[in-house]
């Protein structure tokens, strides 16, 4: 655990330069706007340890799979979200010596991420090897108002020298991914152009043939007054730069404003992308830095209006939750159904930046509550658009008749994960996608989404479960063989309880959806049935039998659901009895030893109990939590949040807070020693759930929003906002009361501490804490 980030309510601050943590800082201070983003690399040259990273959403390369033993059904490639052109670069030379903080003597340094306004700034003083002392102040952002643009204001003050400063703004598309399987570069140049004060590169990805046009334009000021420059142009493969010199006197302030644009062929034709980039760049250049910045910060303030969580009495917790919300908001904006949420967002390259089951399981609830309804709907449409690919994925593994197996990892609908125990066996992801449809409709009331989108997806998934499940003559029950549940510390098990639960639940829910559509959208239902050759009478006979006769492992003595058949053959030793030097297990034990142990990576049985909480009584929840949580090592970033929510619902308030803390500052404090690879974006959504679902006790049941909050003893109060079916509610929880304000023109049906209430539009109410 690192502890160099200064605690602050709205800012993430590095006071003093820590080169040993620079890779971590580059991740933590990253910027994004849903379409593009970058790590917090320096604008000027830095020869120290760094991972240069600029990323364009949805642009990927199919890097050929690298495995030791090829198995039938393996995907041919792993999708890499590409390290794209570096547009932020501004090389600086002062009296012929390069400004490089790895070589200079640093006298002061402050890096600051203003989360409220989406601004990254630095301020430092350094003495170069020629004894020139310079102060640098920089600020940059990627625009939330114009998602194809960004801007930098970079100022140098000549503290004790005069002479010549060389400035070289550039674009460098000659980049490669750190995670390239074969050390290959993924971009080829299409064209470069230089103009007075501007330049462009159009680059094409190999194989996938995406085009991205990156452009730059700049203004120069000396002591606040515009300066005309005569740049010297330089061009080499995938690189353009302008170099000019400014003579300064001691005390002078030299400023460059650099504007950048990144346009993708996902949204523009290849033939016109350069012209369009020119137009966008001219627009932001004419708008100017201050106006562009104002537009951007207002967009961020609007986002915070609907998503902020205010904590009184715990600055570390306040900073942690806002950092999580900030990263979620800048990773996905929901304006396009072709995009989704990569587990590292725009902060790094690990996991390829592709889509996992994390989206439906962890991220969807955040966007349901904090963003317009179309944002979460687009997350579902993303999967609907990839249904045919999911059916192809099923066919590759031997499934037929429209059975859909959604990929564990994808960027275009094809499976691109090549670890067999995940690719072939971690099929509970299908259940998460089905649950996402149900959860969206339960929250929004938008049942019309089922016709035809939701039903078509549910049909493909149900057909998969029908074929994947086996009837055991010995048991006279249906069974599920050879799977891996959410607990990836056990592979190739039979009858994983969570997977069996998700299969049966999906079949049952799909049958309910069929009845609903036949009553309310008959024509749409018939259209899908014809399109997908669905014979309801024939196909659903076995579905119903599976629902009635599925085998679920259970221990009669302890009265707990067993994670899988034979789980109690393991030696059950609580994590608390392990020597701490063994933790984390994945860094100290062999894989064989982990697989034979009882230890659980993340919620498995408890994942189902979280999703289907209302189906089980409190005693059932208590017994299963008390059995499984003590043997859970929480070595997945997705683990603490689910356990925190369940602990809160059981009145285990100290445990709930302990697990929340582990989740909230996971990246800020580098708990797992892996933040340098990028932040854990999807687990951040789980952190939000820990507060709103855990401490806030939010649930949606029977078309009503339920709240049953408590306050951690470390806090004085907390406040969060949620949107629910058109109503915008602000919920403030203090030690003696719950205050709810309705900042909308729509009334809301609520259940507060078990009491039914109606909150009229524009009104507020208070309920005493019990």
């Amino acid at each position: 655990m690192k502890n160099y980030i200064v605690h602050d309510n709205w800012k993430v601050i590095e006071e003093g330069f820590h080169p040993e943590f620079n890779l971590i800082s580059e991740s933590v201070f990253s910027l994004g706007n849903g379409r593009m983003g970058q790590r917090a690399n320096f604008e000027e040259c830095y020869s120290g340890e760094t991972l240069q990273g600029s990323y364009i959403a949805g642009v990927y390369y199919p890097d050929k799979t690298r495995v030791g033993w090829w198995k039938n059904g393996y995907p041919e490639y792993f999708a890499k979200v590409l390290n794209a052109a570096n547009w932020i670069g501004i090389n600086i030379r002062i009296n012929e010596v390069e400004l490089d903080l790895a070589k200079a003597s640093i006298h002061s340094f402050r890096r600051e991420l203003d989360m409220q306004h989406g601004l990254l700034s630095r301020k430092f003083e350094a003495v170069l090897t020629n004894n020139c002392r310079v102060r640098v102040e920089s600020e940059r952002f990627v625009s939330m108002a114009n998602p194809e643009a960004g801007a930098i204001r970079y100022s140098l003050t000549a503290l004790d020298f005069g002479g010549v400063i060389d400035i070289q703004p550039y674009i460098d598309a000659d980049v490669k991914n750190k995670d390239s399987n074969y050390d290959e570069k993924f971009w080829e140049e299409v064209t470069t152009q230089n103009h007075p004060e501007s330049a462009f590169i159009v680059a094409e990805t190999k194989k996938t043939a995406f085009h991205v046009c990156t452009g730059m334009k700049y203004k120069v000021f000396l002591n606040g007054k515009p300066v005309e420059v005569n740049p010297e142009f330089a061009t080499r493969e995938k690189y353009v730069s302008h170099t000019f010199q400014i003579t300064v006197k001691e005390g002078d302030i030299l400023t460059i404003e650099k504007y950048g644009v990144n346009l993708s062929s996902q949204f523009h034709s290849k033939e016109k992308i350069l012209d369009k980039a020119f137009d966008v760049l001219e627009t932001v250049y004419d708008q100017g830095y201050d106006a562009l910045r104002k537009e951007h910060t207002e967009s961020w303030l609007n986002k915070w209006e609907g998503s902020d969580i205010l904590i009184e009495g715990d600055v570390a917790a306040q900073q942690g939750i806002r950092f999580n919300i900030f990263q979620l908001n800048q990773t996905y904006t929901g304006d396009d159904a072709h995009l989704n949420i990569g587990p590292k967002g725009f902060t790094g390259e690990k996991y390829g930046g592709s889509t996992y089951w994390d989206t439906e399981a962890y991220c969807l609830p955040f966007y349901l509550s904090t963003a317009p309804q179309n944002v979460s709907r687009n997350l579902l449409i993303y999967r609907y658009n990839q249904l045919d690919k999911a059916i192809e994925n099923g066919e590759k593994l031997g499934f037929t008749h429209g059975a859909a197996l959604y990929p564990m990892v994808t960027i275009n609908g094809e499976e691109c994960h090549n670890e067999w125990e995940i690719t072939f066996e971690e099929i509970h992801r299908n259940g998460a996608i089905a649950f996402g449809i149900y959860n969206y409709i339960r929250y929004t009331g938008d049942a019309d989404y089922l016709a035809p989108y939701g039903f078509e997806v549910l049909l493909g998934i149900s057909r998969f479960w029908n074929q994947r499940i086996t009837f055991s003559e010995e048991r006279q029950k249906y069974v599920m063989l050879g799977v891996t549940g959410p607990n990836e510390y056990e592979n190739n098990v039979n009858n994983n309880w969570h997977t069996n639960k998700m299969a049966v639940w999906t079949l049952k829910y799909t049958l309910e959806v069929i009845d609903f559509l036949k009553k309310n959208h008959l024509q749409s239902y018939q259209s899908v049935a014809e399109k997908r050759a669905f014979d309801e009478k024939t196909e659903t006979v076995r579905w119903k039998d599976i629902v009635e006769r599925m085998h679920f492992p259970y221990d009669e003595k302890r009265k707990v659901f067993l994670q899988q058949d034979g789980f109690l053959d393991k030696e059950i030793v609580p994590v608390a009895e392990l020597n701490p030097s063994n933790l984390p297990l994945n860094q100290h034990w062999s894989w064989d030893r982990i697989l034979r142990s009882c230890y659980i990576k993340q919620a498995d049985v408890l994942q189902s109990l979280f999703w289907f909480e209302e189906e089980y009584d409190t005693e059932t929840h208590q017994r299963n939590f008390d059995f499984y949580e003590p043997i859970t090592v929480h070595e997945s970033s997705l683990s603490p949040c689910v356990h925190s929510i369940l602990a809160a619902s059981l009145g285990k308030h100290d445990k709930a807070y302990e697990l929340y803390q582990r989740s909230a500052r996971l990246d800020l404090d580098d708990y797992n020693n892996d933040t340098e690879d990028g932040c854990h974006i999807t687990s951040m959504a789980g952190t939000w759930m820990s507060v709103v679902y855990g401490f806030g006790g939010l649930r949606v049941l029977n078309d009503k929003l339920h709240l049953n909050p408590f306050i951690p003893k470390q806090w004085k109060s907390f406040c969060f906002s949620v949107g629910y079916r058109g109503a915008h509610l602000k919920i403030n929880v203090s030690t003696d009361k719950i205050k709810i304000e309705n900042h909308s023109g729509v009334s809301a049906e609520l259940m507060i501490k078990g009491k039914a209430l109606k909150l009229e539009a524009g009104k507020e109410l208070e309920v005493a804490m019990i």
Side-chain angles (χ1 to χ4, degrees), residues 3 19 64 219 273 343 464 557 663 716:
N3 192 26
K64 183 173 174 56
K219 301 175 183 179
I273 195 170
F464 170 81
K557 179 181 176 182
S663 176
K716 295 179 180 178

Side-chain angles (χ1 to χ4, degrees), residues 482-678:
V483 302
T484 297
N487 173 28
E488 294 171 338
Y489 285 179
E490 290 187 297
N491 305 149
N492 200 34
V493 301
N494 293 336
N495 294 306
N496 171 257
W497 194 90
H498 173 72
T499 307
N500 285 16
K501 173 68 179 179
M502 294 313 301
V504 168
W505 175 85
T506 303
L507 291 171
K508 187 176 179 181
Y509 180 53
T510 306
L511 290 168
E512 293 172 2
V513 167
I514 290 170
D515 288 342
F516 170 81
L517 292 178
K518 286 164 69 174
K519 293 176 183 176
N520 298 281
H521 297 277
L522 180 60
Q523 187 174 352
S524 180
Y525 167 73
Q526 291 172 336
S527 176
V528 172
E530 181 179 356
K531 176 183 177 181
R532 296 297 179 183
F534 176 53
D535 184 341
E536 178 191 343
K537 185 176 181 180
T538 302
E539 292 190 52
T540 60
V541 169
R542 192 168 186 267
W543 296 9
K544 294 172 183 176
D545 200 36
I546 291 171
V547 169
E548 292 297 321
R549 295 204 284 166
M550 190 73 187
H551 166 60
F552 289 97
Y554 186 75
D555 176 38
E556 291 289 350
K557 179 181 176 182
R558 295 175 178 81
K559 297 193 180 303
V560 297
F561 306 123
L562 292 181
Q563 191 166 273
Q564 71 269 339
D565 288 345
F567 185 78
L568 290 179
D569 291 336
K570 296 170 176 285
E571 183 181 11
I572 308 298
V573 179
V575 176
E577 295 182 18
L578 283 175
N579 187 322
S581 66
N582 287 313
L583 299 173
L585 299 183
N586 58 26
Q587 296 179 22
H588 295 92
W589 283 12
S590 69
W591 192 241
D592 170 71
R593 187 177 181 186
I594 289 174
L595 292 177
R596 288 187 286 108
S597 79
C598 69
Y599 299 114
I600 299 171
K601 182 182 180 186
Q602 68 187 80
D604 198 303
V605 168
L606 297 184
Q607 183 74 45
S608 283
L609 294 187
F610 166 51
W611 277 345
F612 306 109
E613 179 181 39
E614 67 275 11
E615 294 184 18
Y616 306 98
D617 60 28
T618 301
E619 290 73 22
T620 299
H621 280 278
Q622 185 80 58
R623 289 192 301 270
N624 281 277
F625 186 90
D626 289 348
F627 179 69
Y628 284 110
E629 199 283 328
I631 55 175
T632 301
V633 289
H634 302 294
E635 289 177 10
S636 164
S637 65
L638 300 173
S639 184
C641 59
V642 172
H643 290 83
S644 177
I645 296 165
L646 292 173
S649 69
L650 291 169
K652 299 174 181 289
H653 294 172
D654 288 342
K655 174 60 74 172
Y657 189 75
E658 170 199 329
L659 292 166
Y660 161 76
Q661 278 192 308
R662 185 165 177 169
S663 176
R665 298 191 62 87
L666 179 72
D667 291 308
L668 285 175
D669 294 334
D670 193 28
Y671 265 94
N672 291 346
N673 295 316
D674 61 359
T675 304
E676 65 182 44
D677 295 324

Side-chain angles (χ1 to χ4, degrees), residues 128-310:
L128 278 59
T129 55
N130 59 1
N131 293 319
C132 291
R133 185 182 181 111
V134 64
R135 178 189 299 127
V136 172
E137 297 181 57
S138 70
E139 179 185 84
R140 74 172 185 250
F141 59 91
V142 289
S143 176
M144 270 292 181
N146 185 338
E148 294 174 324
I152 302 166
R153 177 175 278 163
Y154 191 94
S155 296
L156 303 104
T157 301
L159 292 177
D160 62 358
F161 69 90
V164 176
I165 298 180
D166 290 70
I167 301 180
Q168 185 182 67
Y170 65 88
I171 303 171
D172 183 7
D174 190 21
V175 294
K176 68 178 182 180
N177 275 47
K178 177 184 178 182
D179 65 350
S180 171
N181 281 346
Y182 298 91
D183 204 30
E184 179 183 10
K185 291 183 178 180
F186 301 142
W187 294 95
E188 293 180 333
E189 181 184 302
V190 176
T191 188
T192 61
Q193 286 191 6
N194 271 308
H195 306 278
E197 299 175 348
S198 69
F200 299 86
I201 294 179
V202 180
E204 180 182 63
T205 58
K206 298 177 182 178
K207 295 185 181 179
T208 46
F210 289 103
H211 281 199
V212 172
C213 182
T214 303
M216 71 171 187
K217 195 166 184 176
Y218 51 88
K219 301 175 183 179
V220 183
F221 304 86
L222 184 61
N223 297 323
K225 297 180 179 180
V227 176
E228 294 291 332
V229 297
N230 278 318
E232 179 181 326
F233 300 157
T235 303
R236 61 176 187 263
E237 185 182 10
K238 296 179 282 189
Y239 180 91
V240 291
S241 70
H242 291 188
T243 304
F244 51 89
Q245 293 81 35
I246 303 291
T247 300
V248 299
K249 303 186 298 294
E250 184 175 334
D252 281 351
I253 301 175
L254 176 60
T255 300
I256 178 172
E257 292 177 355
K258 184 178 183 183
Y259 303 86
V261 296
N262 283 291
L263 278 68
S264 161
S265 59
Q266 293 183 101
F267 304 102
H268 304 280
S269 71
K270 295 177 183 178
E271 294 76 20
K272 296 182 179 180
I273 195 170
L274 182 57
D275 291 339
K276 183 63 177 176
F278 185 89
D279 292 342
V280 175
L281 186 58
E282 287 297 309
T283 297
V284 298
Y285 179 85
D286 291 343
Q287 191 174 357
Y289 187 88
D290 290 331
L292 193 66
R293 181 186 190 273
K294 182 174 185 292
E295 189 179 63
H296 163 74
T297 58
E298 287 175 350
S299 294
W300 262 111
L301 291 174
N302 287 337
K303 283 191 174 292
W304 283 113
E305 184 67 28
S307 61
D308 189 25
I309 292 177
L310 176 64

